Each structure stands twice: as C-alpha cells, then as structure tokens.
Amino acid sequence: MKQRDLEAYHDFAMRRSGALYRSACLLTSGDTHLAEDLVQETLGRMYTAWKRKRCIDNPAAYAHTVLVRCFLTYKRRRSSGERPAVALPDQPAPSTDSTLKVTLLQALAQLPPLDRTVLVLRFWEDLSVEQTAEMMRTSSSAVRTRSSRALTKLRGVLGASGLAELIAR
C-alpha cells in the first residue's frame, strides 16, 4: 500500500473508531471486550479493502456495514453463547448517572441478536428501513416486522413505567 493510502486509512480509522465502538457496544449489549474485538475486526477488513477504496463510495457506511455483519457472524458461531462468571469480585458501585444506560443495555441484552441489531440500526443509527435491510441482507418488510416485534419485546422487558422513564429523560 502506498504511503499516502496508508496515511488516509490511518486517518479514517482514527476518525471512525469511536463511532464504530459506540455502535458495537450497543449491538453487544454493553460487552465492551466483544465490542473492541468487533471494531478491530472491522478495521482489519477495512484495511484489506482500502486498496479498492475507489470502489467504495462511502467508506464510513461501508465500515458500519462490515461491523454489523461481523456482529451477526459472531452471533451465529456456537462459541458466542459462552458467558463469563456472573459474580465478579470487587465491583464498583454503579453510579446514578449511568442508570439509564445500564437499564437500556440490560433490556437490549434480553432481546435476540437480530432484534437488537434492527433496533440499534433503526433507532440509534437512525437508518431508514431500506438501509437497514441492505445492511442485514434482508427485505424491507422483514425489517419493519422485526422492528415492530422487537419494540414490543423491549416494552415488555422494560415495562410501562421503565419505558416512560427512559422517554422522559
């Protein structure tokens, strides 16, 4: 890779890694270690595709698509069901400022990966139904149906009072 292309890739990775990490954290329901792994995988794949940059119209959108596909691939693996120990020693007390974040992450964690993906793409990333369908390699009607059902599940997990509290903030 030419030095100029390498510098352009490095600049791109520095600018987009924060946004990719935030999206990955939401997709993984707050699993920061997995989110970091997904971002690294995404940036690694972007590095190999950077030579074809002229073929990529929007590198940021392409990177986001790669991130979502890496997440869905990970969730399809049998090893993705492994969980670390429930109780960890010496955990800090949760701060009151992050109560909303923790509540939302816990509620998202109870949803299946595809439902979580649809909600993050549609309502966190603010993508259209068509953009979400393209990223997930499915139809627009499937995205609409999954969005509706996922929101119903999320309302059930949060309850009416929990959802009202989230909206009020």
Side-chain angles (χ1 to χ4, degrees):
M1 189 181 296
K2 296 178 184 175
Q3 183 65 25
R4 183 184 60 200
D5 290 339
L6 187 59
E7 289 172 3
Y9 169 77
H10 181 67
D11 181 52
F12 169 81
M14 294 301 291
R15 283 185 290 114
R16 294 300 304 161
S17 61
L20 289 170
Y21 178 73
R22 285 186 295 279
S23 293
C25 281
L26 288 170
L27 288 171
T28 61
S29 298
D31 184 345
T32 57
H33 300 292
L34 177 56
E36 290 170 354
D37 291 345
L38 290 173
V39 170
Q40 287 301 314
E41 177 74 20
T42 299
L43 291 176
R45 290 183 184 188
M46 285 298 296
Y47 181 79
T48 59
W50 201 257
K51 292 178 225 169
R52 303 182 315 253
K53 183 181 171 202
R54 291 175 189 86
C55 299
I56 302 171
D57 294 331
N58 185 345
Y62 183 76
H64 198 74
T65 300
V66 170
L67 174 73
V68 169
R69 290 180 182 164
C70 286
F71 169 72
L72 293 175
T73 299
Y74 172 79
K75 292 313 273 185
R76 288 184 193 111
R77 291 186 198 135
R78 289 181 184 232
S79 64
S80 72
E82 297 175 1
R83 298 286 176 244
V86 174
L88 297 175
D90 299 329
Q91 291 186 3
S95 75
T96 57
D97 295 339
S98 63
T99 304
L100 172 64
K101 180 179 175 183
V102 170
T103 302
L104 184 58
L105 288 176
Q106 287 173 345
L108 284 172
Q110 294 181 31
L111 297 177
L114 289 175
D115 289 350
R116 193 177 327 135
T117 302
V118 166
L119 290 180
V120 169
L121 291 176
R122 289 281 294 126
F123 302 107
W124 177 260
E125 296 295 331
D126 199 29
L127 296 180
S128 69
V129 171
E130 292 75 23
Q131 290 169 321
T132 303
E134 183 179 331
M135 282 185 125
M136 294 181 68
R137 295 182 181 166
T138 188
S139 67
S140 297
S141 61
V143 168
R144 283 190 292 276
T145 302
R146 188 168 292 279
S147 291
S148 175
R149 290 180 182 166
L151 283 173
T152 302
K153 289 177 189 176
L154 189 63
R155 285 183 189 106
V157 169
L158 290 173
S161 62
L163 191 58
E165 182 183 328
L166 285 173
I167 293 170
R169 292 183 181 193

